[in-house]
Amino acid sequence: MKVLFYMTHADAAEWLHDFARALPEADLREWQPGDTAPADFAVVWRPPREMLAGRDDLRAILNLGAGVDAILGLEHAQPGTLPRNAQLIRLEDSGMALQMTEYVTHAVLRYLRRFDDYQTLQGERRWQVLEPHPRETFTVGVLGLGVLGSHVAQTLAGFGLPVRGYSRSARQIDGITTFAGDAQFDAFLDGVKVLVNLLPHTPETGDVLNARTFSKLARGAYLINVARGGHLVEQDLLDALGSGQLTAATLDVFREEPLPADHLFWREPRITITPHVSALTLRSESVEQVARKIKALARGDTVGGVVNLERGY
Ligand code: NAP
Ligand code: GLV
């Protein structure tokens, strides 16, 4: 079987080396511009259009990330980018759920236990006990109950916090109050104190973090966006912080990455910024998962993580 590989990471050579070890039976090559020779599978992260367009021999494209919005964005901008016969397959967890849970838990506990307020007091050399947030109204709402969102939601429920979850189709998860579909969106948001976004970025979910959404949350709520920058209407966040509807936000993802040096977010102390690191693609776990799926597909078996192209995730 012939496998094409493309990624722009600085350590691409190491990835290629590890894939060669995991797939010794494969004829594996790094794609170079102009390479149109036959291939059965493509393993990619943010590939250029010319790598994929017209490759009707490809059976599957294996995306080295959980989100497929970049690759579907290429197809949207230039229909015909995705080969007709190829399945698009994303990473499932591969070590990301634990990382994402650590990141979100850190942010939620920081807000719950008022670490920012204590840091301010420390700067003023003031020894003062602050009124704790009542746990029973410190409701966390998790948008997206997939591989990552469900892990995050269950972990937070373990701290005794009221946790809600929102998905497209109805889900039942122990300890979580679940909501599904547009009709239940407002009920999900109503009075939420910390809103965590773990939705995929699709035409339906773009701009979901907007003024209307914020207005339904508890006054002084917190936002944690770890999914995609395209979910957030940036000016609406600044306005909500200005009005006091939101107290603070933790953002890992941005419309433009890297976040431009002159972006207003850098100057807003109530916004915590990290450079898209909440859940990294881990090499050994990802190579193992992708190699396992390629072997299964080559045998004619089905695999998990197949993207529904109509839904966009
Ligand atoms: P997933 O397993 O596909 O889960 C997606 C969840 O969102 C599902 O529960 C799905 O509902 C729900 N959903 C999708 N469209 C919806 C809609 N229109 N209305 C309501 N619910 C909707 O995805 P995942 O693996 O958890 O990853 C989620 C996202 O996290 C990725 O797409 C990516 O953008 C982001 N991510 C970010 C990082 C980072 O480092 N910042 C790392 C990895 C991933 P159903 O359950 O009904 O299908
Ligand atoms: C990272 O953002 C991913 O989608 O895996």
Side-chain angles (χ1 to χ4, degrees), residues 213-232:
T213 297
F214 301 149
S215 73
K216 305 283 175 193
L217 306 176
R219 176 116 187 118
Y222 301 88
L223 173 68
I224 301 170
N225 186 21
V226 277
R228 286 292 183 263
H231 286 125
L232 175 64

Side-chain angles (χ1 to χ4, degrees), residues 90 145-148 167-169 171 200 204 226 252 278-279 313:
R90 71 189 190 89
L145 285 177
V147 174
L148 304 183
S167 53
R168 170 199 290 272
S169 53
R171 305 219 153 225
E204 285 177 18
V226 277
D252 184 49
S278 51
Y313 71 98

Side-chain angles (χ1 to χ4, degrees), residues 2-302:
K2 297 182 191 315
V3 181
L4 279 180
F5 173 81
Y6 180 89
M7 73 162 22
T8 53
H9 292 23
D11 59 350
E14 282 96 328
W15 280 81
L16 197 58
H17 172 265
D18 289 359
F19 271 118
R21 280 177 47 158
L23 289 167
E25 65 277 49
D27 171 2
L28 173 69
R29 68 184 193 273
E30 190 167 14
W31 181 82
Q32 303 291 344
D35 175 350
T36 55
D40 305 297
F41 301 102
V43 178
V44 299
W45 181 243
R46 293 184 172 273
R49 178 179 200 274
E50 53 272 31
M51 175 183 179
L52 303 175
R55 272 196 176 276
D56 291 339
D57 47 348
L58 272 190
R59 295 169 57 187
I61 300 166
L62 295 108
N63 186 55
L64 288 172
V68 288
D69 47 307
I71 202 164
L72 292 182
L74 280 181
E75 173 67 21
H76 184 71
Q78 290 175 284
T81 299
L82 287 182
R84 273 174 302 184
N85 308 319
Q87 291 184 306
L88 177 60
I89 297 167
R90 71 189 190 89
L91 283 182
E92 300 168 283
D93 188 349
S94 59
M96 284 191 256
L98 182 58
Q99 296 176 73
M100 192 57 93
T101 301
E102 289 166 353
Y103 183 104
V104 174
T105 302
H106 174 272
V108 171
L109 296 183
R110 168 187 171 191
Y111 294 142
L112 173 71
R113 297 301 304 268
R114 304 190 61 174
F115 280 108
D116 292 333
D117 298 326
Y118 282 113
Q119 193 167 357
T120 304
L121 289 172
Q122 181 177 340
E124 298 164 4
R125 301 185 184 195
R126 285 169 62 198
W127 180 278
Q128 184 185 337
V129 176
L130 300 171
E131 192 67 30
H133 283 294
R135 190 175 292 267
E136 56 282 6
T137 55
F138 208 81
T139 305
V140 182
V142 181
L143 287 164
L145 285 177
V147 174
L148 304 183
S150 57
H151 198 272
V152 166
Q154 284 176 296
T155 302
L156 292 173
F159 286 98
L161 296 168
V163 179
R164 298 181 193 166
Y166 178 73
S167 53
R168 170 199 290 272
S169 53
R171 305 219 153 225
Q172 276 197 322
I173 305 179
D174 276 355
I176 316 294
T177 310
T178 54
F179 300 78
D182 293 347
Q184 295 186 358
F185 188 54
D186 285 2
F188 160 79
L189 294 173
D190 185 34
V192 158
K193 192 71 178 169
V194 187
L195 185 64
V196 179
N197 179 36
L198 270 166
L199 289 168
H201 187 234
T202 70
E204 285 177 18
T205 65
D207 292 346
V208 66
L209 304 175
N210 58 37
R212 183 186 179 284
T213 297
F214 301 149
S215 73
K216 305 283 175 193
L217 306 176
R219 176 116 187 118
Y222 301 88
L223 173 68
I224 301 170
N225 186 21
V226 277
R228 286 292 183 263
H231 286 125
L232 175 64
V233 181
E234 295 186 340
Q235 189 57 49
D236 288 3
L237 169 61
L238 293 170
D239 293 346
L241 290 169
S243 72
Q245 176 57 20
L246 291 184
T247 297
T250 297
L251 307 179
D252 184 49
V253 287
F254 301 89
R255 285 188 181 261
E256 187 178 348
E257 294 181 4
L259 188 65
D262 60 353
H263 198 286
L264 288 176
F265 285 176
W266 288 114
R267 281 186 267 145
E268 173 48 75
R270 289 167 292 187
I271 298 180
T272 296
I273 292 169
T274 52
H276 202 141
V277 292
S278 51
L280 301 171
T281 297
L282 302 177
R283 191 161 82 227
S284 69
E285 286 87 340
S286 307
V287 167
E288 185 280 321
Q289 182 176 122
V290 167
R292 183 166 35 79
K293 287 183 179 181
I294 288 178
K295 287 177 191 170
L297 291 166
R299 286 194 304 270
D301 294 345
T302 55

